[in-house]
Amino acid sequence: MEIWINPACSKCRSAVRLLDEEGASYTVRRYLDDVPEEGEIREVLERLGLEPWDITRTQEAEAKELGVKEWPREADARERWIAALAAHPKLIQRPIITADDGTAVVGRTEEAVRDALGRRGQ
């Protein structure tokens, strides 16, 4: 299990605390320092079952500068969104937990983190 976090984010800290309380084995990826490449973002999106616009923080200053809210949310624009997430990792929703069963969740709630914990290989 891997969790993509920004240590300054309270949701990320809560998710890590819950993983620790449950004794989960996981790796922390500080994605602002260890920026995911476009291929990794595609893989995580597939695991999440989401599109790039679903995990984009559109209220961030960088998102407003790029004008992402106006970008089309369709297949032809998908690569543009992925390139923006790779170039501006601050726009990636957090935390993202990749579960051992090949799936992933956006762990913004305790329920979502527990869902990821339930997907651990026993």
Side-chain angles (χ1 to χ4, degrees), residues 9-25:
C9 167
S10 63
K11 300 277 186 194
C12 293
R13 292 192 306 271
S14 294
V16 167
R17 189 169 31 257
L18 182 55
L19 292 175
D20 288 343
E21 287 170 3
E22 295 296 323
S25 174

Side-chain angles (χ1 to χ4, degrees), residues 37 77 100 122:
E37 296 175 3
D100 294 337
Q122 300 301 328

